[in-house]
Structures are given as structure tokens and as C-alpha cells.
Amino acid sequence: MTTDVQVSNNEQAKRYEARLPGGLAFAEYRAVGDALLFSHTEVPEEMEGQGVGSTLVRFALDDARERGLKVIPMCPFVAAFIRRHREYTDLVHPQQRGVFGL
């Protein structure tokens, strides 16, 4: 599992990014009212299974929390991450939690 992944919010591209030796990992989002809708997460194939996606999503969710935003986890990876890490469930609107199995 990798621990030295540096993540940033590329607001112009509307995605959280981690530049890696094997390419770019990212979690795409769009603003919807007071929420960020996460639509797609991608990690270079050679980096899969090393914790890059989890580090990326954790950073994005922590950033949303700090900014006072809710999240809409349309991306299956983001939804699965929140199911595994229940401390982020409060970021999903209570009326939407059932939709995502939360």
C-alpha cells in the first residue's frame, strides 16, 4: 500500500488528482448545490490495489467536509469507500443514503 500519494483539487478540471509515476489518478466531480457529485474515479492499472484510490477519495471527502459540502457518490468506488468507512456516511444526505446502500 502506497503512503506517499500527494492529492490536490484541480478546480478547473473539476477533479481531485494524484500525479503518479505511472500516470494520473483522479476522482471527477461536479458541484450540485451544496454538494459534490462524484461521477468517476480512475487509477492507472499498474497502481491499482496499492491504496491510491482510497487515498484520493479520503482526501476528497475530507476536503468536502472542511468546505461544509455534502457528497453524492454516484461513482461506485466512492460509494464503496463510504460503505467501508462509515465515518463519512454523514456527508451523504440522509434521504440519499439508502440509494447508495448506506
Side-chain angles (χ1 to χ4, degrees):
M1 189 179 233
T2 187
T3 58
D4 54 347
V5 175
Q6 298 297 313
V7 180
S8 63
N9 182 4
N10 182 339
E11 292 184 37
Q12 204 167 38
K14 294 184 177 22
R15 62 188 188 188
Y16 289 89
E17 299 176 337
R19 297 195 183 281
L20 308 164
L24 181 70
F26 59 88
E28 294 177 334
Y29 66 84
R30 67 182 165 101
V32 179
D34 67 344
L36 295 179
L37 184 150
F38 287 94
S39 57
H40 180 68
T41 301
E42 193 168 308
V43 173
E45 190 173 339
E46 61 273 10
M47 299 295 291
E48 288 179 0
Q50 297 182 40
V52 173
S54 293
T55 300
L56 185 65
V57 171
R58 184 180 309 278
F59 181 95
L61 296 176
D62 287 343
D63 187 56
R65 185 184 306 283
E66 287 177 22
R67 295 168 54 196
L69 300 171
K70 294 289 186 190
V71 299
I72 304 168
M74 296 301 293
C75 170
F77 185 84
V78 175
F81 180 90
I82 294 171
R83 278 193 295 277
R84 286 190 314 273
H85 302 276
R86 294 296 184 157
E87 66 270 24
Y88 293 104
T89 303
D90 66 301
L91 292 176
V92 180
H93 192 284
Q95 292 178 336
Q96 295 178 333
R97 291 179 190 161
V99 173
F100 302 108
L102 304 168

